[in-house]
């Protein structure tokens, strides 16, 4: 499955964005989906993940009060809502899939795609 993240942009601190992850085929429905981010000079880190059915979710401590992950498998699309954006959230955000439920370890995921840039500044 190929994935394409979109929805990033430049926002002021306190703003919100809704990122989308569009999948190329219906195998997406059987995969757990993870969101990751990578800032310049830093390692890729897990932000959130969701099980194939949507019933199990995980949020990184650094963002858990500000993000909501969801998916619509009928549209082969995943979403990440980020609120109260901070300058330190500036990064490229990626989505990826895995057969393992409940892990945020990037090494367990594949098909990261090109990502979408989020820039938070005043």
């Amino acid at each position: 499955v190929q994935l394409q993240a979109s929805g990033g942009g430049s926002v002021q601190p306190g703003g919100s964005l809704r990122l989308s992850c569009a999948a190329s085929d219906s195998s997406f429905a059987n995969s757990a989906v993870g969101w990751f981010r990578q800032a310049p000079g830093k390692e890729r880190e897990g932000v959130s993940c969701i099980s194939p059915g949507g019933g199990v979710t995980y949020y990184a401590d650094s963002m858990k009060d500000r993000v909501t992950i969801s998916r619509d498998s009928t549209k082969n699309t995943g979403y990440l809502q980020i609120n109260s954006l901070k300058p330190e959230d500036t990064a490229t955000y990626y989505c990826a899939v895995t057969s393992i439920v409940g892990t945020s370890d990037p090494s367990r995921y594949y098909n990261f795609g090109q990502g979408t840039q989020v820039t938070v500044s005043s």
Side-chain angles (χ1 to χ4, degrees):
V1 61
Q2 293 183 329
L3 303 173
Q4 179 63 57
S6 63
S10 295
V11 298
Q12 293 186 339
S16 299
L17 285 172
R18 188 192 195 201
L19 308 183
S20 296
C21 174
S24 60
D25 62 64
S26 59
S27 65
F28 177 81
N30 298 320
S31 301
V33 179
W35 283 94
F36 304 85
R37 67 181 183 180
Q38 187 166 19
K42 295 187 177 181
E43 293 185 353
R44 186 171 293 175
E45 63 172 336
V47 174
S48 184
C49 58
I50 187 168
S51 61
V56 178
T57 58
Y58 162 85
Y59 296 99
D61 287 341
S62 61
M63 299 187 75
K64 63 181 179 180
D65 296 329
R66 301 186 290 119
V67 300
T68 303
I69 191 170
S70 61
R71 64 188 300 164
D72 185 342
S73 293
T74 64
K75 297 181 179 179
N76 294 333
T77 304
Y79 304 98
L80 186 73
Q81 176 73 36
I82 312 176
N83 300 320
S84 302
L85 280 156
K86 305 175 181 180
E88 51 264 43
D89 294 324
T90 295
T92 301
Y93 286 70
Y94 302 86
C95 59
V97 292
T98 181
S99 59
I100 304 170
V101 175
T103 180
S104 63
D105 181 353
S107 69
R108 299 288 189 172
Y109 286 79
Y110 51 92
N111 296 358
F112 278 85
Q114 293 187 337
T116 185
Q117 178 67 36
V118 172
T119 303
V120 185
S121 68
S122 55

